[in-house]
Amino acid sequence: MVTGLNESALSTSTQIHSQTYDYDIGVYVEKTCTNDEKYKILKNRWIPNEFYKFPISGTRKLKFQRNWLLEFPWLSYSEKLDGAFCVFCFLFCSKEVGKGSHISTKSLVVTPFCRWKDAKEQFRYHTNLEYHKTSCIVAQNFIDVHEKKIVDISLQLNTARLATIEQNRQILSSIVETIILIGRQEIALRGHRDSGPILSKVSNHNVT
């Protein structure tokens, strides 16, 4: 009987741990995420309960603080890597940014941030970076498109292009029909004369 309870508890624990890893951003490092995976990561940011014990690291025995996740809504902690990421930049920011793409994005974007001593300072600094602000906008737009709240910009442009093509096709069709009608009526396209200059002759005057 006791064995059965232990097995049940172990099964439940394994299931919970597996679900945690499903939403662990560290699982997706060095992996190209699908749109469905991106949406899942954005909408299921893992925030452990207040009793969760983050691992201690370094000689100063520092660790990640749960309240950071509440203070910085873009922050995502990876239990798998014991490090932090900016979920927006991780999903939507390039590895190289800046003019000419000469600045490499590493900590919080490509690799996990683990320097807990400087955490708050670095998180505040990251919040004000231009590529972070851009990633936030892109992330919100991605969510809106995925939830069909707005139409994807590429689809909007394609729809506008198709509308322009159709409009031009109708105009061209009207012109062709007019030319055919004029031809049947044996009417000159240029008016009542079928020869001579189109524009009136302009007298040349000497400039003094």
Side-chain angles (χ1 to χ4, degrees), residues 11-181:
S11 176
T12 302
S13 175
T14 302
Q15 184 179 8
I16 293 173
H17 194 69
S18 176
Q19 290 174 349
T20 299
Y21 265 35
D22 282 343
Y23 303 129
D24 190 319
I25 196 170
V27 174
Y28 301 93
V29 172
E30 297 182 355
K31 176 183 177 181
T32 301
C33 296
T34 64
N35 285 340
D36 287 339
E37 288 173 334
K38 290 179 181 179
Y39 182 77
K40 181 176 71 173
I41 294 170
L42 288 168
K43 299 296 287 187
N44 298 281
R45 189 169 62 105
W46 180 59
I47 300 180
N49 62 49
E50 57 187 4
F51 302 108
Y52 179 83
K53 293 183 179 180
F54 291 94
I56 297 173
S57 60
T59 56
R60 301 186 62 178
K61 297 182 178 180
L62 301 176
K63 61 182 179 180
F64 186 89
Q65 301 297 314
R66 180 179 180 274
N67 62 292
W68 294 340
L69 294 170
L70 305 178
E71 183 175 352
F72 301 96
W74 49 263
L75 191 63
S76 182
Y77 174 77
S78 170
E79 182 183 42
K80 181 176 184 290
L81 302 177
D82 184 27
F85 289 89
C86 170
V87 63
F88 300 145
C89 292
F90 175 82
L91 293 174
F92 300 107
C93 184
S94 302
K95 293 183 179 180
E96 287 80 29
V97 295
K99 188 175 182 179
S101 299
H102 65 287
I103 302 175
S104 297
T105 55
K106 294 182 179 179
S107 183
L108 283 172
V109 181
V110 180
T111 58
F113 178 89
C114 307
R115 303 191 311 273
W116 308 137
K117 174 180 175 293
D118 306 319
K120 289 287 288 289
E121 179 183 353
Q122 290 300 314
F123 294 163
R124 292 193 184 101
Y125 174 76
H126 183 81
T127 299
N128 294 315
L129 292 173
E130 287 302 319
Y131 67 78
H132 168 75
K133 295 176 182 178
T134 300
S135 295
C136 291
I137 296 172
V138 174
Q140 185 58 59
N141 183 74
F142 174 84
I143 292 173
D144 290 342
V145 170
H146 200 84
E147 295 178 349
K148 302 187 186 307
K149 293 180 180 179
I150 62 172
V151 179
D152 189 354
I153 185 64
S154 60
L155 182 58
Q156 292 181 37
L157 293 174
N158 187 53
T159 301
R161 177 175 173 273
L162 292 176
T164 301
I165 291 174
E166 180 60 27
Q167 182 181 18
N168 291 339
R169 183 179 290 123
Q170 292 178 2
I171 293 173
L172 182 60
S173 177
S174 298
I175 293 173
V176 171
E177 289 177 359
T178 301
I179 292 174
I180 293 174
L181 177 62

